[in-house]
Amino acid sequence: MDLEAFDLRLRGIPNGGVTSARGFSAAGVHAGFRKNPERLDFALVAADEPVAAAGVFTQNRFCAAPVTVSRANLGGVGYGYARALAVNSGNANAATGPEGLKTARATCEIVSQVLACEPEEVLVASTGVIGQLLSLDPFERGVPAAADALAAAGGADAARAIMTTDTHPKEYAVTFVSADPAWEGVTFTVGGMCKGSGMIMPNMATMIACITTDAPVAPKHLHELLSDAVNKSFNRVTVDSDTSTNDTCVAFASGAAAPEGADVIDPASLAAEELGRALQVVCETLARAIAADGEGASRLVTVNVTGAADDAEADLAARTVANSPLVKCAIAGRDCNWGRVAAALGKSGAHFSQEKVAIDIMGIPVCREGLTVPFDEDEALRRFEAPEIVITADLGAGAGSATVWTCDLTHDYVTINGDYRT
């Protein structure tokens, strides 16, 4: 498939989000997880009926109770059928032992009773402070209230309800008409929401994300598509190199856009390629939004590494640059200090000869063959005013390439995290 041609056919949906795809509704309410009664703190996303579902979760060994329960409800393989996702903010329900697991399972029971489905058809996620027991009382109040408020227009409230230190909700959706002869004239939609601002360097997904589509997809195929999209998006984001205990990315496929009696999309078909690309575009847009909204951040930073020995080494080098506190501080200070980029590349473990390295910052050549290139400092300072800073490094060692998104490191990051719990 010609990706450039397909991307031209993709249409962003104004104010689109997790309920843009047909067959889904959502709500965000104040349930009492947070003290401020004006702040939404519980989100419910529901399909009209049990649908194909898939999930990828944190690889942090200190994983939270809702991660354990959702993994189990997806059969331990990451896919199955589900009706809903319930998310609370304000408390991570992590490092809470048997009591935490009991609360997560009880949440599934409460949601299943309200939605008239099986407890195993409910996925749960939590975000907030680690190590504090999570009371069931807010769920007993919030779940019925959210169920009553479920609506196709409720995606925006749901996106706000899952926020922690995020400064704004993160939503996006696209739609396209399939060019696959088997699905001629059929319009499919992919939408989603996520939250994430700090403790971001996932090894699987993001802090919390929910992706929906109205395409008909078998659960195992949906998991494959989601995993691929996540590896090309959420797995390429870092704010502070810390992987959360609660990272969860869930996808639902309702099939509501398919003609009556239609089968699921063939994994080897053009329609599958189209859907996979649409999922990637939605996930990448949300991932970039996380990086841009990093705690205390003033700039989105894109790190491109080319010329590595292979893609894995390119990712290693790009991630090391993106995680470097010195690089991030230089960007915060509008300092075109390419030496910090070079030092990060050198410690990354990627194999290359410094005499072959070229570095550009915001399109300005600053290093060639491992040596400094004179540049206009005033012009560099002017370019630092852009909302996105791009760092590009060519290692001259092969054909490997990778892109990682991050943000700068400001005084506000320390302020936010210095009193996060208290």
Side-chain angles (χ1 to χ4, degrees):
M1 183 178 71
D2 185 335
L3 290 181
E4 289 187 8
F6 177 72
D7 286 351
L8 291 174
R9 292 195 286 116
L10 274 178
R11 294 289 180 266
I13 299 175
N15 302 313
V18 74
T19 53
S20 293
R22 283 164 282 187
F24 298 96
S25 57
V29 300
H30 175 76
F33 296 101
R34 295 182 177 277
K35 294 179 180 179
N36 183 355
E38 302 299 319
R39 183 160 183 179
L40 305 180
D41 58 12
F42 177 72
L44 185 63
V45 178
D48 295 344
E49 58 187 9
V51 299
V56 287
F57 304 93
T58 184
Q59 293 180 21
N60 192 314
R61 297 184 69 85
F62 232 112
C63 70
V67 169
T68 299
V69 170
S70 291
R71 277 175 172 155
N73 287 356
L74 288 174
V77 293
Y79 58 87
Y81 291 90
R83 177 76 191 282
L85 170 68
V87 187
N88 74 276
S89 61
N91 187 314
N93 194 12
T96 49
E99 283 300 311
L101 289 170
K102 182 179 178 181
T103 297
R105 294 183 182 119
T107 302
C108 295
E109 289 278 355
I110 295 171
V111 175
S112 70
Q113 291 171 11
V114 172
L115 297 183
C117 64
E118 296 299 318
E120 294 76 19
E121 294 174 336
V122 178
L123 306 178
V124 287
S126 300
T127 179
V129 178
I130 295 170
Q132 295 184 359
L133 290 176
L134 178 60
S135 171
L136 200 58
D137 293 343
F139 289 108
E140 293 174 338
R141 294 189 299 270
V143 171
D148 288 343
L150 282 172
D157 282 346
R160 281 193 290 271
I162 65 176
M163 292 167 51
T164 49
T165 56
D166 307 62
T167 63
H168 58 82
K170 301 171 177 68
E171 308 171 82
Y172 191 63
V174 296
T175 188
F176 65 94
V177 178
S178 178
D180 189 323
W183 301 95
E184 186 176 0
V186 178
T187 299
F188 295 125
T189 299
V190 178
M193 67 176 187
C194 74
K195 63 81 51 187
S197 188
M199 198 180 281
I200 301 289
M201 193 177 80
N203 294 317
M204 56 93 252
T206 181
M207 289 288 286
I208 306 290
C210 182
I211 311 297
T212 58
T213 181
D214 47 25
V217 191
K220 184 177 180 181
H221 184 205
L222 181 62
H223 186 259
E224 292 169 352
L225 291 173
L226 178 66
S227 297
D228 183 62
V230 161
N231 283 333
K232 295 173 179 176
S233 58
F234 294 126
N235 270 356
R236 296 185 180 277
V237 175
T238 178
V239 169
D240 45 23
S241 79
D242 280 324
T243 297
S244 167
T245 55
N246 292 60
D247 293 335
T248 298
C249 182
V250 169
F252 296 105
S254 69
E260 187 174 352
D263 201 356
V264 295
I265 290 175
D266 182 348
S269 68
L270 173 60
E273 290 186 67
E274 293 173 330
L275 181 60
R277 177 59 180 172
L279 278 167
Q280 182 186 335
V281 168
V282 169
C283 290
E284 182 177 308
T285 301
L286 294 174
R288 283 170 54 86
I290 288 174
D293 193 33
E295 289 174 341
S298 69
R299 295 291 184 275
L300 168 66
V301 181
T302 297
V303 180
N304 297 313
V305 170
T306 60
D310 54 36
D311 289 350
E313 291 214 351
D315 181 79
L316 183 64
R319 198 172 296 272
T320 305
V321 172
N323 280 328
S324 166
L326 290 177
V327 171
K328 291 157 72 73
C329 286
I331 294 169
R334 314 295 191 261
D335 182 3
C336 196
N337 188 344
W338 70 267
R340 293 181 173 182
V341 176
L345 292 170
K347 76 169 186 178
S348 69
H351 297 85
F352 62 88
S353 297
Q354 63 174 303
E355 293 82 7
K356 296 181 179 181
V357 171
I359 300 171
D360 289 7
I361 298 179
M362 301 170 298
I364 300 175
V366 293
C367 170
R368 290 293 184 269
E369 298 180 345
L371 300 174
T372 190
V373 174
F375 61 91
D376 187 332
E377 291 280 4
D378 290 335
E379 174 61 15
L381 192 61
R382 186 188 69 78
R383 296 193 189 190
F384 263 116
E385 295 308 309
E388 179 176 357
I389 306 302
V390 179
I391 298 172
T392 302
D394 188 328
L395 303 185
S401 63
T403 297
V404 173
W405 296 284
T406 187
C407 59
D408 57 355
L409 180 59
T410 70
H411 295 285
D412 286 343
Y413 180 87
V414 177
T415 300
I416 290 168
N417 285 284
D419 60 6
Y420 178 75
R421 189 177 65 85
T422 54

